[in-house]
Amino acid sequence: MDTLHGQAKTGFAREAQAYERGRPEYAPELADWLRRELGLRPDSAALDLGAGTGKFTRLLATVAGEAAAVEPVDEMRAQLQARLPGLRALKGSAEEIPLPDASMDVVACAQAFHWFANEEALREIHRVLKPGGSLGLIWNVRDESCDWVARISELLAPYEGDTPRFHSGAWRLPFETTVYFAAPALTMLPHSHVGPPERVIVDRFLSVSFIAALPDDEKRRFAEALRRLISTHPDLRGRDEVAFPYRTEAYRCLRR
């Protein structure tokens, strides 16, 4: 059954390389969170569900003794396999995880759960988790208290449509009725993505699903608007390197 949202299927397939270039890595402090809050140890098995190009998988693999990844988009999974050739990377979805019952101590979803926030996915995650296991939900969230970050959000807004988004809060709804998991418990960490503006701004936002899925001429106009912001905003103009401010929101959801 193909449950992948059309924007994700089209956009992430077209811009997998921009995703790998432009998306931030994850805060190193998340390794401690995985150990402390999710109980990961060197003898634990952990799954990165909706793993994309493996940005979070790389961190997860440093903490868990056995790490695996599930990613439905072939182009994204190819990027992951190129960088983590020894890791088990499987084609699958949150509603159909190709793993046995009670085989994982932890399932983690980084920048992904809002795409499949439904009861079917929670039931399937519950199935592959061992008793006492945990679900971890992680997002790098843009800090819109920064003026130029807020302006980027304004550029994005007209294109968003009905695409599932973290900031809508709709991802929380299944936890209000589910029998499978306790309510998400939040830990917040500061984070930033430092690098050339072309990478941490232009590539970053060309990899957003609904931008990546645009026709080429419209996507080009959006990229030009980003570059105008970079060339004219006083905090960005003439800078070879910028620090894009984020906060990392990490949620622990205990298996019932």
Side-chain angles (χ1 to χ4, degrees):
M1 180 174 62
D2 186 357
T3 58
L4 190 61
H5 191 282
Q7 294 281 30
K9 183 186 298 184
T10 301
F12 291 145
R14 291 178 66 181
E15 293 292 350
Q17 292 185 3
Y19 191 104
E20 176 58 30
R21 288 193 307 268
R23 295 290 178 121
E25 304 294 338
Y26 289 87
E29 293 83 0
L30 272 176
D32 290 334
W33 178 82
L34 288 167
R35 297 183 186 99
R36 182 183 68 252
E37 298 294 330
L38 302 191
L40 275 183
R41 302 183 306 271
D43 61 348
S44 298
L47 171 66
D48 188 358
L49 179 60
T53 65
K55 289 273 185 179
F56 184 74
T57 320
R58 294 166 219 172
L59 177 64
L60 189 66
T62 68
V63 180
E66 177 191 346
V70 167
E71 168 54 44
V73 178
D74 294 340
E75 291 83 354
M76 299 282 272
R77 199 170 61 259
Q79 294 281 328
L80 185 155
Q81 291 175 308
R83 288 161 177 81
L84 295 168
L87 187 130
R88 182 166 47 146
L90 305 170
K91 184 178 180 69
S93 70
E95 294 83 4
E96 294 183 0
I97 301 172
L99 290 172
D101 294 359
S103 56
M104 291 287 139
D105 296 290
V106 164
V107 173
C109 307
Q111 300 300 123
F113 185 74
H114 54 281
W115 288 108
F116 44 81
N118 57 62
E119 185 74 2
E120 292 76 17
L122 290 179
R123 182 187 304 120
E124 183 71 346
I125 294 166
H126 185 273
R127 179 187 67 79
V128 303
L129 277 171
K130 298 175 184 178
S134 295
L135 167 63
L137 309 178
I138 301 101
W139 285 275
N140 286 323
V141 182
R142 300 190 302 275
D143 181 358
E144 293 179 344
S145 67
C146 173
D147 179 69
W148 57 267
V149 175
R151 295 196 191 187
I152 292 172
S153 295
E154 291 171 3
L155 292 174
L156 284 170
Y159 298 97
E160 188 171 315
D162 64 352
T163 305
R165 304 284 278 158
F166 165 78
H167 67 72
S168 75
W171 65 271
R172 295 179 178 274
L173 296 177
F175 290 99
E176 296 177 3
T177 56
T178 188
V179 299
Y180 298 111
F181 290 93
L186 172 63
T187 298
M188 197 142 49
L189 301 166
H191 190 37
S192 65
H193 188 196
V194 178
E198 186 70 18
R199 186 172 79 236
V200 303
I201 296 176
V202 179
D203 282 339
R204 164 68 182 87
F205 291 99
L206 288 181
S207 78
V208 170
S209 59
F210 52 85
I211 298 299
L214 290 173
D216 287 344
D217 58 342
E218 198 165 358
K219 186 159 52 176
R220 191 178 306 113
R221 287 195 293 272
F222 179 78
E224 289 169 355
L226 288 176
R227 292 186 178 109
R228 278 197 300 274
L229 177 66
I230 292 166
S231 66
T232 59
H233 194 283
D235 294 337
L236 298 173
R237 185 174 56 238
R239 301 281 297 276
D240 294 328
E241 186 175 84
V242 297
F244 198 117
Y246 290 91
R247 67 180 186 275
T248 298
E249 297 196 10
Y251 296 83
R252 181 194 69 225
C253 312
L254 296 177
R255 182 189 190 275
R256 287 175 168 161

